[in-house]
Amino acid sequence: MTNRKIVVALGGNAILSKDASASAQQQALRSTARYLVEFIKQGDQLIIAHGNGPQVGNLLLQQAAGSTESNPAMPIDTAVAMTQGSIGYWMQNALREVMAEEGLQQDVATVVTQVEVSADDPAFSDPSKPIGPFYTKDEVKPIAAAHPEQTFVEDASRGYRRVVPSPKPTGVVEAGVVNKLVDAHVIPIAVGGGGVPVVRENNQLVGREAVIDKDFASEKLAELVDADLLIILTAVDNIYVNFNQPDQKQLTNVTVPELKQFIKEGQFAKGSMLPKVEAAIAFVEHRPDAKAVVTSLENVGEFLSNGTGTIISKAAVASN
């Protein structure tokens, strides 16, 4: 099937590994673009979403180190917008270069995307999303004293980290713009880093100090643009149950009720696979005729050729 409208959500490993330099991230995105171009070659209409966890964390550190009264650091919502621009700039050029090598010609545009959240979301009173580096107990004390508005917690016995709210998306302000770009045969790069978190106050969109989960934002965008497929790319080719155990089991075709049962069993790690599974469930529940896929970037070719990966559907299918 060609001419499908597909939202592809890239994990952070598609952009940044260990080297945080601009040149290294640009090179990583050239490699990523080679996989994504396979969708374009077969006639799919691509919408690209991406994470920005390492990049926004690094940017906040750089700003904090150079912040002065006359040149203060920017808030998180603005930092998210800044990384949407920088990563989009690199990704646009990477895609154009690879498409030119393949004899393809298609415009690419980055959309600085605002994602609406509810001001009443309970996440605002319970910050939980870790950002930035680890600190020792002695290191964090003066930082916390200097920034009483910030929350620091001990994270997995590895030290203390700042945590911020992670509200659920309720809308994507620029979803209509994304659809218009697709209709004009332009590849949009949107909801980078989960989007800039905003709340609606009368006629204003007001940024909030928060980080939206990239997978939930990608799902909301896929839902609003009536995508045929949501593909969440991560570090593994498939979702597993009993992961890393002797009896681990690979999931290939799986239904929403089956995944919900696995969630009840605590099969998926809260900070890694669980949001991907929950986002996939939300998408197929809103778009019953559509499907969601969780697989790795490196498995894109096999998915396109043989349908390998974890395919999530609402209707009953064979489960492995």
Side-chain angles (χ1 to χ4, degrees), residues 2 6 33 35-46 48 95-96 98-99 104-108 185 187 304:
T2 59
I6 300 176
Y35 292 104
L36 297 181
V37 162
E38 294 303 311
F39 291 100
I40 300 164
K41 286 165 69 174
Q42 70 170 28
D44 289 320
Q45 300 173 336
L46 206 57
I48 301 169
L95 279 167
R96 287 193 181 107
V98 175
M99 284 192 291
L104 302 168
Q105 187 173 2
Q106 193 169 353
D107 287 330
V108 189
H185 202 54
I187 301 168
L304 289 172

Side-chain angles (χ1 to χ4, degrees), residues 102-115:
E102 296 284 348
L104 302 168
Q105 187 173 2
Q106 193 169 353
D107 287 330
V108 189
T110 297
V111 180
V112 177
T113 317
Q114 300 172 94
V115 174

Side-chain angles (χ1 to χ4, degrees), residues 201-214:
E201 296 181 0
N202 299 318
N203 293 322
Q204 285 187 306
L205 293 170
V206 181
R208 286 300 184 94
E209 289 269 290
V211 173
I212 301 169
D213 186 277
K214 171 263 304 176

Side-chain angles (χ1 to χ4, degrees), residues 260-305:
K260 286 183 175 180
Q261 180 57 39
F262 291 139
I263 290 173
K264 287 181 181 179
E265 296 171 4
Q267 288 285 354
F268 308 122
K270 186 176 180 181
S272 57
M273 189 55 76
L274 181 59
K276 294 169 175 53
V277 171
E278 290 177 333
I281 289 172
F283 177 65
V284 297
E285 286 190 326
H286 281 100
R287 299 271 293 147
D289 295 332
K291 293 183 179 180
V293 180
V294 177
T295 192
S296 68
L297 182 66
E298 294 76 14
N299 194 55
V300 161
E302 280 296 308
F303 166 71
L304 289 172
S305 299

Side-chain angles (χ1 to χ4, degrees), residues 2 5 46 60 77 135 257 319:
T2 59
K5 187 185 294 184
L46 206 57
L60 290 170
D77 58 310
Y135 299 102
S319 177

